[in-house]
Amino acid sequence: MNPTRPEPQGRLDASADEPTPDQGRGTPSTSTRAPEPAPLTVHGPARVIAVANQKGGVGKTTSTINLGAALAEYGRKVLLVDFDPQGALSVGLGVQPHQLESTIYNLLMERGVEGGDVLQDTGVENMDLLPSNIDLSAAEVQLVTEVGREQALGRALKRFLPDYDVVLIDCQPSLGLLTINALACADEVLIPLACEFFSLRGVALLMDTIDKVTERLNPDLRMLGVLATMFDTRTLHTKEVHDRVVEAFGDKVFDAVINRTIKFPETTVAGEPITSWAPTSYAAEAYRMLAREVIAR
């Protein structure tokens, strides 16, 4: 148990604020593209997935935490990488960034730093964290003059890959050098996309960046999929945006759809994933379905 994590006041199950799961192309129990995964007999090397969108507030951090926890439930060893100077991923797992002596910044910029000096226990079995804090903002400036600056994160993560099955990188909401680093070392990119018109407009710029990284830095990078988030079943606008996303990306859109729910802010206060905070909720089941789809792809 992390001593900095606040103690939850009580466990939650499905409640009246849960939306009706009537949207998307599948529900947590009906998707034909998300079979129950087989258990693993050996672990590693890890597939690296960058969770990216230059627009903030679309559910990147929430999805990284809860997808990681759901993958861990299915027996996968997961490493979460907080690659945002704001440290939201770390905070969401009960880690206080300003109290950390070593972070992902130290792995990037300092010689002789061991992985164990930075690695944090998340309190979730099979899931570890490389935390971040405001120090990481200096790395973007310092890396500008470095040789091979786009591969700095890949070099730092290389030591961890044999020990994990999945590495999830929570990217900052920009298309700067830190995000380029994440895309340059990733095998796949997962794009959380809020079901809002302005969120949809920004995807073209992100896709252009992904194309350039694929062409110039990482020819093996592929798009894992688009995850519809912040779906509000009460509004026609949300459903129209989701339909446009499916029209644009086709089978690349995950069947799993993440609804708006008050439980996500509650999990941040609790410092743990929704899969353990509200394990029977629709949102928890949606992330389990997403995990099954990720494993299947």
Side-chain angles (χ1 to χ4, degrees):
M1 180 66 69
N2 192 315
T4 63
R5 178 180 289 114
E7 287 298 321
Q9 297 303 308
R11 299 283 173 179
L12 299 180
D13 291 319
S15 62
D17 79 290
E18 284 289 287
T20 303
D22 60 356
Q23 78 294 335
R25 296 177 297 154
T27 68
S29 60
T30 64
S31 173
T32 59
R33 300 193 295 172
E36 192 77 16
L40 294 179
T41 55
V42 294
H43 297 283
R47 60 194 284 200
V48 181
I49 302 172
V51 183
N53 191 325
Q54 81 276 16
K55 188 178 187 305
V58 298
K60 288 190 301 297
T61 299
T62 297
S63 295
T64 303
I65 291 172
N66 293 300
L67 171 58
L71 288 168
E73 281 190 358
Y74 289 119
R76 272 57 184 174
K77 293 192 68 177
V78 180
L79 176 63
L80 303 185
V81 180
D82 189 348
F83 213 50
D84 184 348
Q86 297 180 63
L89 181 69
S90 303
V91 172
L93 287 166
V95 175
Q96 301 305 316
H98 62 279
Q99 297 178 2
L100 298 172
E101 294 185 4
S102 297
T103 67
I104 187 68
Y105 168 82
N106 302 95
L107 281 179
L108 285 177
M109 306 305 302
E110 299 175 7
R111 295 180 181 272
V113 177
E114 298 294 332
D117 297 335
V118 181
L119 210 60
Q120 293 272 328
D121 177 24
T122 65
V124 177
E125 186 179 3
N126 290 327
M127 189 169 80
D128 296 322
L129 168 70
L130 291 177
S132 171
N133 60 21
I134 195 63
D135 291 346
L136 186 59
S137 60
E140 193 153 20
V141 177
Q142 293 172 302
L143 285 172
V144 169
T145 59
E146 293 287 328
V147 176
R149 58 185 178 270
E150 297 91 352
Q151 282 80 31
L153 180 59
R155 292 191 295 269
L157 293 182
K158 188 175 181 180
R159 72 194 80 180
F160 298 101
L161 301 185
D163 300 323
Y164 293 91
D165 301 308
V166 181
V167 174
L168 294 175
I169 306 172
D170 183 31
C171 299
Q172 67 176 161
S174 79
L175 296 178
L177 185 55
L178 294 181
T179 299
I180 298 300
N181 259 264
L183 296 175
C185 73
D187 300 305
E188 300 156 302
V189 56
L190 187 156
I191 304 174
L193 182 62
C195 291
E196 300 170 349
F197 176 70
F198 288 111
S199 181
L200 184 60
R201 286 186 63 189
V203 174
L205 185 59
L206 175 61
M207 296 305 299
D208 183 57
T209 300
I210 293 172
D211 289 342
K212 288 179 179 177
V213 170
T214 303
E215 179 182 342
R216 303 173 188 179
L217 295 171
N218 185 3
D220 296 325
L221 180 66
R222 72 181 187 94
M223 189 169 75
L224 176 60
V226 176
L227 174 65
T229 64
M230 300 185 179
F231 193 100
D232 190 340
T233 58
R234 299 167 298 180
T235 68
L236 179 61
H237 171 73
T238 298
K239 296 179 181 179
E240 289 175 342
V241 171
H242 184 266
D243 289 343
R244 290 184 63 180
V245 172
V246 173
E247 181 181 338
F249 293 100
D251 287 344
K252 286 295 184 181
V253 180
F254 291 105
D255 285 345
V257 176
I258 310 303
N259 285 334
R260 288 185 182 275
T261 172
I262 190 61
K263 288 184 173 59
F264 289 130
E266 291 171 350
T267 61
T268 302
V269 175
E272 63 180 281
I274 199 166
T275 50
S276 57
W277 175 252
T280 63
S281 66
Y282 178 75
E285 287 301 320
Y287 275 112
R288 292 186 184 106
M289 185 172 99
L290 175 63
R292 295 195 298 271
E293 288 188 80
V294 168
I295 292 170
R297 293 188 184 191

